[in-house]
Amino acid sequence: MNRIVREHYPVEKLPDDLRAAVEDESSVRVVLERETAAPPAGEMAREGHFSRWRHLRQTRFETPEGVVAHVRALRDEWDRR
């Protein structure tokens, strides 16, 4: 996604409706992002894959004890080889 950011943009250059909303400021930060109806199919599939991975990571490693248990399980697995 393309994003355009302008720091310290003069308020007098804004359209009238936006200028009215920030009339007490001399400059603002402007961020423009392109709106899309839906991401491309490949992007949706990739996002679905990573969201499943994020869920697994969050449930397994919520607590320090969960992390320790996971490391011990990996170490035990290597000891058995």
Side-chain angles (χ1 to χ4, degrees), residues 9-76:
Y9 193 81
V11 170
E12 59 267 5
K13 289 187 175 183
L14 291 173
D16 292 336
D17 59 334
L18 295 175
R19 191 178 321 140
V22 292
E23 61 189 29
D24 57 336
E25 301 292 329
S26 62
S27 65
V28 293
R29 178 176 186 235
V30 178
V31 179
L32 298 174
E33 292 181 344
R34 182 177 299 186
E35 273 188 352
T36 58
E43 190 174 319
M44 286 181 65
R46 186 172 52 245
E47 183 59 34
H49 173 72
F50 286 120
S51 67
R52 286 191 298 272
W53 178 78
R54 255 185 243 119
H55 173 70
L56 176 65
R57 188 186 71 196
Q58 288 171 350
T59 55
R60 184 182 294 171
F61 303 131
E62 283 185 336
T63 64
E65 293 81 16
V67 173
V68 170
H70 180 69
V71 170
R72 286 186 177 148
L74 291 174
R75 186 180 55 205
D76 292 345

